Amino acid sequence: MLIVMKADATSREIDNVANAIRGSGLRAHVLPGAQRTAIGITGNDGVINAAAFENLPGVAEAIRVTKPDKLITLDIRQEKTVVRIGDATIGSDELAIIAGPCAVESRAQAFAVAEAVKRSGARFFRGGAFKPRTSPYAFQGLGEEGLRILAEVREAYGLKIVTEALDESGVDLIERYGDMIQIGARSMQNFSLLRRAGRSPLPVLLKRGLAATLEEWLLAAEYIMAEGNYQIVLCERGVRTFAQHTRNTLDFAAIPAVRSVSHLPIVIDPSHGTGKNYMVASMARAGVAAGADGLLIETHDQPERALCDSTQALTLGQYEQVVREVRAIHETLLSLTTVTLG
Amino acid sequence: MLIVMKADATSREIDNVANAIRGSGLRAHVLPGAQRTAIGITGNDGVINAAAFENLPGVAEAIRVTKPDKLITLDIRQEKTVVRIGDATIGSDELAIIAGPCAVESRAQAFAVAEAVKRSGARFFRGGAFKPRTSPYAFQGLGEEGLRILAEVREAYGLKIVTEALDESGVDLIERYGDMIQIGARSMQNFSLLRRAGRSPLPVLLKRGLAATLEEWLLAAEYIMAEGNYQIVLCERGVRTFAQHTRNTLDFAAIPAVRSVSHLPIVIDPSHGTGKNYMVASMARAGVAAGADGLLIETHDQPERALCDSTQALTLGQYEQVVREVRAIHETLLSLTTVTLG
Amino acid sequence: MLIVMKADATSREIDNVANAIRGSGLRAHVLPGAQRTAIGITGNDGVINAAAFENLPGVAEAIRVTKPDKLITLDIRQEKTVVRIGDATIGSDELAIIAGPCAVESRAQAFAVAEAVKRSGARFFRGGAFKPRTSPYAFQGLGEEGLRILAEVREAYGLKIVTEALDESGVDLIERYGDMIQIGARSMQNFSLLRRAGRSPLPVLLKRGLAATLEEWLLAAEYIMAEGNYQIVLCERGVRTFAQHTRNTLDFAAIPAVRSVSHLPIVIDPSHGTGKNYMVASMARAGVAAGADGLLIETHDQPERALCDSTQALTLGQYEQVVREVRAIHETLLSLTTVTLG
Amino acid sequence: MLIVMKADATSREIDNVANAIRGSGLRAHVLPGAQRTAIGITGNDGVINAAAFENLPGVAEAIRVTKPDKLITLDIRQEKTVVRIGDATIGSDELAIIAGPCAVESRAQAFAVAEAVKRSGARFFRGGAFKPRTSPYAFQGLGEEGLRILAEVREAYGLKIVTEALDESGVDLIERYGDMIQIGARSMQNFSLLRRAGRSPLPVLLKRGLAATLEEWLLAAEYIMAEGNYQIVLCERGVRTFAQHTRNTLDFAAIPAVRSVSHLPIVIDPSHGTGKNYMVASMARAGVAAGADGLLIETHDQPERALCDSTQALTLGQYEQVVREVRAIHETLLSLTTVTLG
């Protein structure tokens, strides 16, 4: 059930409704919007008695929700969610650039890349400390040592740290060292991990699974939101198809599709989405032109020596060029009154 | 085998080599480039004797080609092919807009749409006279009557007519009424049709099959070129995947992938590529930003009454807005020195 | 619309209804069943007036059909269609084995294979005279010369000849030399070819397209039936997926799925369905166990020298062994009262 | 690296080699075979010095392994692995039937189903206590209470309990209550979970991911083996494709494909593999005919009331019939000298 508050409802009235919901043994999700606040109710086994809430002061209406997703929908929030880490945002008019190496390999490597990322004007640094690798014998990341290096990068450059958690203990560590929890494609339906991230104070970057439908992806976000964490960014990183000229097939239509049903921001990963260095610029431009809120780009100071995904990482020079190109397109979109961003 | 002529080879020398090839019972494909002319040789059963040609006047070198594709490759021609119909081009710096209704339904409908297409500055009008329909009982197009209406549209608006041939007799008719032969996704491996189109004086728009690999698609173009028709435009129109929020999944990575191996221009069809009206603008922008040479867009004066594909056709107003948006992005790309177009 | 005749309707009454339908400018499709005859009506633009037919003598009822498919459905015929060529059948209790080389390469090769096919007890010999090849430069079959060799095989061994038509002129030739027209996966939506096959007196083997849904496949059969040819066998030959350990992924669930909606028989092609010699026996057994009406198996006297698909062809010895295995399973199924065959 | 022991090597010699490996800081995996024992070495960062081991008493040869998978391969073990739980086996000549409801819903339901499973001669009872559900608001299983009921089923019927772990704490619980750990399709690349299962004394049923390649699946098994647990059964449960007449597309070719590279047994899940009750019998027969070592079948005393996957569960009567059918086919295969089972 969804409780829509009146436009002029006071915060006291909102708190009052939320408390009444909690008092009934249910969970209240307060989502403020530009026009009015809505309160999602979860935790019910059967039908909720609307009468208990719809007559409380400040309530405009109570709406029965029969869809399997509730909190990620435009029903509860019409404006796009803006995810904020300090003064950096994802989902606003600003194009969010999240860049860095596939894996943190050393302090020197991380700093060399961070230097270029900072210089490009990007606000987010992404690097893996725990790497999900297909083979048990492949490089699995530096672990906590990698996280410590990332924390140093934050200190030195003021970049926000985005890094992947593979399990619940990984979330514990990121809460200590990082700024945003990435949940990777292979973990998109690791429900224990989703619930743990839902109880974190950090925002979550939720990658789409290799063969996830739009609904499954959004319901994975719903798992996180149902636990009380509403700061979620979706990341399209390509799906698995018969096509073999790329590692994955980027599904750009996910951008308008997500927009049409959800308030969550969405970014594109042209690096994993293609697996090929020479395609990244083209696909990054496409993502921004399609209306993505940002990009996740892999770059490395020495791509040919990268310990993972070396075929897709951009050189620092290529990376800076791509950022210039996508910013030019983003500026163009902002000047078009017919395109809605932010 | 591929005969590369010297940069200063005369046209007489080129003719001479071509004639020597033909005199050996082989086929000569003369493809002039900006720097030099190359001559592809096909029609051989086994290995060609290079010595017969490499010492002729004007020949720089003879290159053995072992790949299954020969004429579509960058080996034979480094510059992008520019397809020309009168003064309209596909593959040049100009963004090619090919627009019109799924099917020609009546003279009034065709003229209403053509009026808007002309006004938008587009040079190509596309409408189906023969429609490949999944069901034998669905509307199959107006047939030759539809082609006659298209010829009238050309007369009235000066637009170049692009329309689909379903079989060899369809090519005969388009040669009488139209300007460019579309070969649809379902016909991409109709080899009899490809060969017939290869013997036509008209250029060909070759759509990618629903589950065609890049190689299969390019080899379908090779079928056409092997018959002597080198004016081919590739059209990415979405492939079939598990994803269900769209009719097809547009594979934008086909743009850089084609560029990396072939000189043929490539356009994007955001209408069939999504099947959903509300996604077309976003995907059209993505296509142009990714570097496509043009777009194929369905528009209808009364989409809700369209006899086919009504869910994807833009209203004329939406269409004009999309054209403005993609032109703005195309201008931006032209201003970026790091992006190579045309 | 579907006219169901009474169980005791006379053939004169049936003819009378069919003539009345034709007299209204419509097409009548008379499909006799074990219990009663049904007459499908096609060729209408809009709604058919039931009153014109439902009161004719012998008519039990007139049923409005709103589905896009009409003639392939269980609505019009509850019993499985048995396709007959002389005394050989597909769709009966007998397991149909259709075997032969990918392409007819020579008289000697065809006879060597036919000898083994005959000895195995199979009734159908399949070999290609016109080969649909991805590359224009690959072996395209012997053409009419190949058909003449097939006609000799028929003469010598009494085997029924199944061979592929790539276009309408190919159907003309098969009508002269062969017994059954194969329509390949790439041609499944070549609607001109489907209609031509629908006007042939020969039965049709309709392969599923590489990315065809069940509905598209059945509607392709409907195209053939709508022209008056009701002798159709469906052939599942694998679909295109992300999986790379096989050339295609055999969709065995198509067998119960087709059974649940259509009266047409269905066979499995484990050779094209896997592309790998060592998988053919296992997949052939699976097909028969799943309830397929037959198998299409590629075998060659010298697989390593085959001019096409050499990796999937069985040696003659392997082929004979597979036939023994599948016959044993077929016998087992016939003994199980819970499995319905034929 | 792989150390192959001589056929007549003593157990003391084998222990001696294993100890030498461990003494070098590496991991020794001793896999006895019918002819000889092989010892896999993992845990190395770079190249292993063969000389250190190849001259030890009893060693036949040391083989360098460059493939990403080591322990799952036929290189290390030529005979199929037989997984044993008490006297019940998977991978032997006996056809393994693993049956039960999607989820344990109550003691009454579990016992009603177990009664039928026991009566059918099956040795394994499968039921979910922790259910991975797409929506956070769907029934998530009874949790530990469900495991307690499963333990009672084991007590009452002597059936071996197979049940899914969603995370590491789930493995702890199954070790207390169950006999075999199922790792579901969504968890196939949950590497923390794989490693935990690799340290368990219980055998593991590893389902293939929805879009997993054969190599990814086998490397997931390698993760488990690398930790020292060699009792693994692979389970093909259908992959995600464009096809929509089934929930998933069962990839039966995985059976011969796995056989050709790995010693691990493989079973088929026709219930999740189709999602449709009416297809289960046909697909179960296909799986056994293709050479699967067993089946995983969902059955419920009241499928229409099942709390999950109600469309695919068989009634108890249907289930018993399917078991009779597949046993008949399995008997037939055993009688065929050309088919290798067990």
Side-chain angles (χ1 to χ4, degrees):
Chain A
M1 179 161 294
L2 175 62
I3 305 295
V4 180
M5 301 301 293
K6 289 178 183 158
D8 60 357
T10 64
S11 60
R12 175 175 296 229
E13 286 170 342
I14 293 169
D15 285 353
N16 188 36
V17 173
N19 287 332
I21 292 167
R22 291 179 194 119
S24 305
L26 302 170
R27 186 146 197 166
H29 302 270
V30 180
L31 279 95
Q35 307 296 325
R36 39 73 167 178
T37 288
I39 307 176
I41 307 179
T42 64
N44 52 307
D45 273 337
V47 174
I48 298 168
N49 177 16
F53 310 114
E54 68 189 350
N55 295 321
L56 293 176
V59 171
E61 59 177 329
I63 301 171
R64 178 88 64 82
V65 179
T66 53
K67 288 185 288 192
D69 44 15
K70 301 180 181 182
L71 304 174
I72 59 97
T73 68
L74 293 175
D75 296 336
I76 201 166
R77 186 182 160 91
Q78 282 75 43
E79 304 82 22
K80 201 196 291 173
T81 287
V82 177
V83 169
R84 297 179 190 283
I85 305 178
D87 61 345
T89 58
I90 307 176
S92 70
D93 258 10
E94 184 186 19
L95 184 67
I97 307 286
I98 304 164
C102 175
V104 176
E105 298 169 16
S106 70
R107 196 177 178 282
Q109 172 243 23
F111 272 65
V113 177
E115 173 76 33
V117 169
K118 176 68 178 180
R119 196 169 51 232
S120 75
R123 311 296 303 274
F124 302 89
F125 187 78
R126 176 188 162 278
F130 299 96
K131 299 303 305 174
R133 301 304 296 276
T134 302
S135 164
Y137 311 123
F139 173 62
Q140 311 268 327
L142 296 182
E144 189 164 357
E145 171 59 18
L147 291 175
R148 271 190 221 106
I149 293 171
L150 288 169
E152 285 187 64
V153 163
R154 175 170 51 183
E155 200 62 34
Y157 295 102
L159 293 164
K160 310 303 178 194
I161 301 303
V162 183
T163 192
E164 180 166 358
L166 293 181
D167 50 27
E168 299 172 59
S169 64
V171 177
D172 296 343
L173 287 168
I174 296 174
E175 288 176 352
R176 196 173 327 152
Y177 296 103
D179 297 301
M180 187 173 198
I181 303 158
Q182 178 184 313
I183 294 185
R186 292 176 183 79
S187 306
M188 194 202 82
Q189 291 193 317
N190 180 336
F191 300 116
S192 304
L193 178 59
L194 294 175
R195 285 203 196 86
R196 174 64 186 83
R199 292 188 299 269
S200 178
L202 298 185
V204 179
L205 181 76
L206 179 65
K207 289 200 154 191
R208 179 177 178 185
L210 265 81
T213 63
L214 195 72
E215 194 193 19
E216 289 167 346
W217 188 18
L218 291 170
L219 283 170
E222 185 82 22
Y223 262 93
I224 298 169
M225 294 193 84
E227 298 292 326
N229 187 347
Y230 313 127
Q231 293 271 295
I232 302 171
V233 176
L234 300 170
C235 177
E236 161 65 31
R237 43 79 72 207
V239 291
R240 189 157 272 178
T241 72
F242 68 89
Q244 286 162 35
H245 55 283
T246 44
R247 187 169 162 190
N248 299 292
T249 300
L250 272 168
D251 178 13
F252 288 90
I255 299 169
V258 163
R259 288 274 186 274
S260 72
V261 295
S262 177
H263 52 82
L264 295 175
I266 173 169
V267 300
I268 291 283
D269 177 349
S271 301
H272 288 88
T274 61
K276 300 206 174 166
N277 175 297
Y278 82 92
M279 291 179 169
V280 172
S282 166
M283 296 299 97
R285 297 194 309 260
V288 172
D293 295 294
L295 296 169
L296 196 154
I297 302 179
E298 288 199 352
T299 178
H300 196 284
D301 57 329
Q302 294 176 295
E304 69 287 359
R305 296 201 185 169
L307 294 181
C308 67
D309 289 346
S310 63
T311 62
Q312 74 197 33
L314 298 184
T315 63
L316 300 180
Q318 290 170 329
Y319 162 72
E320 291 174 37
Q321 185 173 300
V322 168
V323 172
R324 279 193 298 272
E325 292 178 13
V326 296
R327 285 204 200 283
I329 289 173
H330 187 244
E331 287 303 312
T332 303
L333 288 196
L334 286 174
S335 72
L336 290 168
T337 56
T338 49
V339 179
T340 310
L341 294 177
Chain B
M1 180 159 294
L2 174 63
I3 306 294
V4 180
M5 302 302 292
K6 291 178 182 158
D8 60 356
T10 64
S11 61
R12 176 175 295 226
E13 286 169 344
I14 294 169
D15 285 354
N16 187 36
V17 173
N19 287 333
I21 292 167
R22 290 180 195 119
S24 305
L26 302 170
R27 187 145 197 166
H29 302 271
V30 181
L31 280 94
Q35 307 298 324
R36 41 69 166 177
T37 289
I39 307 177
I41 307 180
T42 63
N44 52 308
D45 273 336
V47 174
I48 297 169
N49 177 17
F53 311 115
E54 67 190 350
N55 296 320
L56 292 176
V59 171
E61 58 176 331
I63 300 170
R64 178 86 64 82
V65 180
T66 54
K67 290 186 286 192
D69 43 16
K70 301 179 181 184
L71 304 174
I72 59 98
T73 67
L74 292 175
D75 296 335
I76 201 166
R77 187 183 159 89
Q78 282 75 45
E79 304 82 23
K80 201 196 289 172
T81 287
V82 177
V83 170
R84 298 179 188 282
I85 305 178
D87 61 344
T89 59
I90 306 177
S92 69
D93 258 12
E94 184 186 19
L95 183 68
I97 307 285
I98 304 165
C102 175
V104 176
E105 297 170 15
S106 70
R107 196 178 178 282
Q109 173 244 22
F111 271 66
V113 177
E115 173 77 33
V117 169
K118 176 70 178 179
R119 196 167 50 234
S120 75
R123 310 297 303 274
F124 303 89
F125 187 77
R126 177 186 160 280
F130 299 96
K131 299 304 304 173
R133 301 304 296 277
T134 302
S135 164
Y137 311 124
F139 173 62
Q140 311 268 325
L142 295 183
E144 189 165 357
E145 172 59 18
L147 290 175
R148 272 189 219 106
I149 293 170
L150 288 169
E152 286 188 63
V153 163
R154 174 171 51 182
E155 200 63 35
Y157 296 101
L159 294 164
K160 309 305 178 192
I161 300 303
V162 183
T163 193
E164 180 167 358
L166 293 180
D167 49 27
E168 300 173 58
S169 63
V171 176
D172 296 342
L173 287 168
I174 295 173
E175 288 177 351
R176 199 175 321 155
Y177 296 105
D179 297 301
M180 187 174 197
I181 302 158
Q182 178 184 312
I183 293 185
R186 291 176 183 81
S187 306
M188 193 202 82
Q189 290 192 318
N190 180 335
F191 300 115
S192 304
L193 179 58
L194 294 175
R195 285 204 197 86
R196 174 64 186 86
R199 293 189 299 268
S200 178
L202 298 185
V204 179
L205 181 77
L206 179 65
K207 289 197 154 194
R208 179 177 178 188
L210 265 82
T213 62
L214 195 72
E215 194 194 19
E216 290 168 345
W217 188 19
L218 291 171
L219 283 171
E222 185 81 22
Y223 262 93
I224 299 169
M225 294 193 84
E227 299 292 325
N229 187 348
Y230 314 126
Q231 293 272 296
I232 301 171
V233 176
L234 301 169
C235 177
E236 162 65 33
R237 44 77 75 204
V239 291
R240 189 158 272 177
T241 72
F242 69 87
Q244 286 163 35
H245 55 283
T246 43
R247 186 168 161 191
N248 298 293
T249 300
L250 272 168
D251 178 13
F252 288 90
I255 299 170
V258 163
R259 288 274 185 275
S260 72
V261 295
S262 178
H263 52 82
L264 295 175
I266 174 170
V267 300
I268 291 283
D269 177 350
S271 301
H272 288 87
T274 61
K276 300 206 174 165
N277 176 298
Y278 81 92
M279 291 180 170
V280 172
S282 166
M283 295 300 98
R285 297 195 308 261
V288 172
D293 296 292
L295 296 169
L296 196 155
I297 302 178
E298 287 199 352
T299 177
H300 196 285
D301 57 329
Q302 294 176 296
E304 70 288 357
R305 296 201 186 170
L307 294 181
C308 66
D309 288 346
S310 62
T311 60
Q312 74 197 34
L314 299 184
T315 63
L316 300 180
Q318 290 170 329
Y319 162 72
E320 291 174 35
Q321 185 174 300
V322 168
V323 172
R324 278 193 297 272
E325 293 178 11
V326 295
R327 284 202 200 285
I329 289 173
H330 187 244
E331 287 302 313
T332 302
L333 288 196
L334 286 175
S335 72
L336 290 167
T337 56
T338 50
V339 179
T340 309
L341 295 176
Chain C
M1 181 161 290
L2 176 61
I3 306 295
V4 180
M5 302 301 292
K6 289 176 182 161
D8 59 358
T10 63
S11 60
R12 175 175 294 227
E13 285 170 342
I14 293 169
D15 285 353
N16 187 37
V17 172
N19 287 334
I21 292 167
R22 291 180 193 118
S24 306
L26 301 170
R27 187 145 195 165
H29 302 271
V30 180
L31 280 95
Q35 307 296 324
R36 41 72 167 174
T37 289
I39 307 177
I41 306 180
T42 64
N44 52 308
D45 274 334
V47 174
I48 297 169
N49 176 16
F53 311 115
E54 68 188 352
N55 296 321
L56 292 176
V59 171
E61 59 178 328
I63 301 171
R64 180 86 64 81
V65 179
T66 54
K67 290 185 285 194
D69 44 15
K70 301 178 181 186
L71 303 175
I72 58 97
T73 66
L74 292 175
D75 296 336
I76 201 166
R77 187 181 160 90
Q78 283 75 43
E79 304 82 22
K80 201 196 292 173
T81 287
V82 178
V83 170
R84 297 178 189 282
I85 304 177
D87 61 344
T89 59
I90 307 175
S92 69
D93 258 11
E94 183 186 20
L95 183 67
I97 308 286
I98 304 165
C102 175
V104 175
E105 297 169 16
S106 69
R107 195 177 180 283
Q109 172 243 23
F111 271 66
V113 178
E115 173 77 33
V117 169
K118 175 70 179 180
R119 196 169 50 232
S120 76
R123 310 295 301 273
F124 303 89
F125 186 76
R126 176 187 161 279
F130 300 96
K131 297 304 305 175
R133 301 304 295 275
T134 302
S135 164
Y137 311 124
F139 173 62
Q140 310 269 326
L142 296 182
E144 189 164 356
E145 172 59 19
L147 291 175
R148 270 189 222 108
I149 293 170
L150 288 169
E152 286 188 63
V153 163
R154 174 172 50 184
E155 199 62 34
Y157 296 100
L159 293 165
K160 310 304 178 191
I161 301 302
V162 183
T163 193
E164 180 166 358
L166 293 180
D167 50 25
E168 299 173 59
S169 64
V171 177
D172 296 343
L173 286 169
I174 296 174
E175 288 177 351
R176 197 171 329 149
Y177 296 103
D179 297 299
M180 187 173 199
I181 303 158
Q182 177 183 316
I183 294 185
R186 293 175 183 81
S187 305
M188 194 202 82
Q189 290 193 317
N190 180 335
F191 300 116
S192 304
L193 178 59
L194 294 175
R195 285 203 196 87
R196 173 65 185 83
R199 292 190 298 270
S200 177
L202 298 186
V204 178
L205 182 76
L206 179 64
K207 289 198 155 192
R208 181 177 178 186
L210 265 79
T213 63
L214 195 72
E215 195 194 18
E216 290 168 344
W217 187 19
L218 291 171
L219 282 170
E222 185 81 22
Y223 262 92
I224 298 169
M225 293 193 84
E227 298 292 327
N229 187 348
Y230 313 127
Q231 292 273 296
I232 302 171
V233 175
L234 301 170
C235 177
E236 161 65 32
R237 44 79 73 207
V239 291
R240 190 158 272 178
T241 72
F242 69 88
Q244 285 162 36
H245 55 282
T246 44
R247 186 170 164 191
N248 298 293
T249 300
L250 272 169
D251 178 13
F252 288 91
I255 299 170
V258 163
R259 288 274 184 276
S260 72
V261 295
S262 176
H263 51 82
L264 295 175
I266 175 171
V267 300
I268 291 284
D269 177 349
S271 301
H272 288 87
T274 61
K276 300 208 174 164
N277 175 297
Y278 81 92
M279 292 179 168
V280 172
S282 166
M283 295 299 98
R285 296 194 310 258
V288 172
D293 296 294
L295 297 169
L296 195 154
I297 301 177
E298 286 198 353
T299 177
H300 196 286
D301 56 329
Q302 294 175 293
E304 70 288 358
R305 297 202 185 170
L307 294 182
C308 68
D309 289 347
S310 63
T311 61
Q312 74 197 33
L314 298 184
T315 62
L316 299 179
Q318 290 170 328
Y319 161 74
E320 291 174 38
Q321 185 173 303
V322 169
V323 172
R324 279 193 296 272
E325 291 178 13
V326 295
R327 284 201 200 285
I329 289 174
H330 186 245
E331 286 302 312
T332 303
L333 289 196
L334 286 175
S335 72
L336 290 168
T337 55
T338 49
V339 179
T340 309
L341 294 177
Chain D
M1 180 161 292
L2 175 63
I3 306 295
V4 180
M5 302 300 293
K6 290 178 182 158
D8 60 357
T10 63
S11 59
R12 176 175 295 228
E13 286 170 342
I14 293 170
D15 285 354
N16 186 38
V17 173
N19 287 333
I21 292 167
R22 290 179 195 118
S24 306
L26 302 170
R27 187 147 197 164
H29 302 270
V30 180
L31 280 96
Q35 307 298 324
R36 41 71 168 176
T37 288
I39 308 177
I41 307 180
T42 64
N44 52 308
D45 273 335
V47 173
I48 297 168
N49 178 16
F53 312 116
E54 65 190 353
N55 295 320
L56 292 175
V59 171
E61 58 177 330
I63 300 171
R64 178 88 63 81
V65 180
T66 54
K67 289 186 286 191
D69 43 15
K70 300 179 182 185
L71 304 175
I72 58 99
T73 67
L74 292 176
D75 296 335
I76 201 165
R77 187 181 160 91
Q78 283 75 44
E79 304 80 24
K80 202 196 291 173
T81 287
V82 178
V83 170
R84 300 179 187 281
I85 305 178
D87 61 344
T89 59
I90 307 177
S92 69
D93 258 12
E94 184 187 18
L95 183 68
I97 307 285
I98 304 165
C102 176
V104 176
E105 298 169 15
S106 70
R107 195 178 180 284
Q109 172 243 23
F111 272 67
V113 177
E115 173 77 34
V117 169
K118 175 70 179 180
R119 195 168 51 233
S120 75
R123 310 295 302 274
F124 302 89
F125 187 76
R126 177 187 161 278
F130 299 96
K131 298 304 304 174
R133 302 303 296 274
T134 303
S135 166
Y137 311 124
F139 173 63
Q140 311 268 326
L142 296 182
E144 189 165 355
E145 171 59 19
L147 290 175
R148 270 189 223 106
I149 293 171
L150 288 169
E152 287 189 63
V153 163
R154 175 172 50 184
E155 200 62 34
Y157 296 101
L159 293 164
K160 310 303 177 192
I161 301 302
V162 183
T163 192
E164 180 166 358
L166 293 180
D167 49 25
E168 296 167 69
S169 64
V171 177
D172 296 342
L173 287 168
I174 296 174
E175 288 177 351
R176 195 172 330 150
Y177 297 104
D179 297 300
M180 186 173 199
I181 302 158
Q182 178 184 314
I183 294 186
R186 292 175 184 79
S187 306
M188 192 202 82
Q189 290 193 318
N190 181 336
F191 300 116
S192 304
L193 178 58
L194 293 175
R195 285 204 198 85
R196 173 65 185 83
R199 294 189 297 269
S200 178
L202 298 186
V204 179
L205 182 76
L206 178 65
K207 288 198 156 194
R208 180 177 178 186
L210 264 80
T213 62
L214 195 72
E215 194 193 17
E216 290 168 345
W217 188 19
L218 290 171
L219 283 171
E222 185 82 22
Y223 262 93
I224 298 169
M225 293 193 84
E227 298 292 327
N229 187 347
Y230 313 127
Q231 292 272 297
I232 301 171
V233 175
L234 301 170
C235 177
E236 160 66 33
R237 44 77 74 205
V239 290
R240 189 158 272 178
T241 72
F242 69 88
Q244 286 163 34
H245 55 281
T246 43
R247 187 170 163 189
N248 298 294
T249 300
L250 272 169
D251 178 12
F252 288 90
I255 299 169
V258 163
R259 288 274 185 274
S260 71
V261 295
S262 177
H263 52 81
L264 295 175
I266 174 170
V267 300
I268 291 283
D269 177 349
S271 300
H272 288 88
T274 61
K276 301 206 173 166
N277 175 299
Y278 82 91
M279 291 179 170
V280 172
S282 166
M283 294 300 98
R285 296 194 309 259
V288 173
D293 296 294
L295 297 169
L296 195 155
I297 301 178
E298 287 200 351
T299 177
H300 196 285
D301 57 328
Q302 294 174 296
E304 70 288 356
R305 297 201 184 170
L307 293 182
C308 67
D309 289 346
S310 63
T311 61
Q312 74 198 32
L314 298 184
T315 63
L316 300 179
Q318 290 170 328
Y319 161 73
E320 292 174 36
Q321 185 174 302
V322 168
V323 173
R324 278 193 296 271
E325 292 178 12
V326 296
R327 285 203 200 284
I329 289 173
H330 187 246
E331 287 301 314
T332 303
L333 289 196
L334 286 175
S335 73
L336 290 167
T337 54
T338 50
V339 179
T340 310
L341 295 176

